[in-house]
Amino acid sequence: MSDSELDSQSLVAECRTVLAHAWMVRTFVKHCEEAEDFPELHVVVRAVFDASRALETKADDPAAFVHMLKKKLPKLKAAAAQFRVDAPRVSLHTNFQQAVISLDACVERLEQLLARSGAA
């Protein structure tokens, strides 16, 4: 296996780890009591679901994975930005504050990884 293949597989693995963190934010938001009263929170739930599921289908093909990440990341980034606005309106609880920080970190890291791939 060449160094570039190892590097591509490493990139996919790291992206999948980051997406697992985003999935946990999704799970928190989806199942929190506040979600019933604030349907706008479902935007972030759907965006994380959509990106994660689309990317998981490409995990065995690093080039296709990177292409799909480039396609899905803008919507995930927009959802995270909206969540940053909506979350404090929903609750000032630490769980929401940490979820915003976590999702922002996920988006930032995915952007860094995409840049590292040369596809940004």
Side-chain angles (χ1 to χ4, degrees):
M1 191 173 294
S2 73
D3 286 344
S4 66
E5 287 174 320
L6 281 173
D7 191 46
S8 294
Q9 289 177 346
S10 167
L11 180 87
V12 169
E14 190 166 351
C15 286
R16 292 182 76 199
T17 298
V18 172
L19 287 165
H21 290 280
W23 190 268
M24 295 310 297
V25 171
R26 173 197 175 271
T27 300
F28 160 68
V29 173
K30 182 178 180 188
H31 295 291
C32 70
E33 290 179 17
E34 294 85 353
E36 294 175 23
D37 298 327
F38 295 93
E40 58 267 37
L41 292 177
H42 294 286
V43 171
V44 75
V45 170
R46 285 189 298 273
V48 172
F49 179 87
D50 181 53
S52 295
R53 295 295 300 208
L55 287 162
E56 108 183 354
T57 67
K58 308 295 183 198
D60 294 333
D61 182 351
F65 186 94
V66 168
H67 177 76
M68 184 63 71
L69 178 59
K70 188 174 182 179
K71 182 178 171 183
K72 296 294 181 178
L73 191 54
K75 188 172 181 179
L76 183 60
K77 185 176 181 177
Q82 187 60 50
F83 182 57
R84 196 177 319 113
V85 172
D86 292 339
R89 287 192 237 166
V90 172
S91 175
L92 295 176
H93 192 279
T94 303
N95 289 345
F96 280 92
Q97 294 172 8
Q98 294 299 317
V100 168
I101 292 167
S102 185
L103 191 56
D104 281 344
C106 289
V107 169
E108 181 179 340
R109 186 64 184 138
L110 289 170
E111 289 178 321
Q112 291 169 351
L113 291 165
L114 188 60
R116 187 177 99 189
S117 77

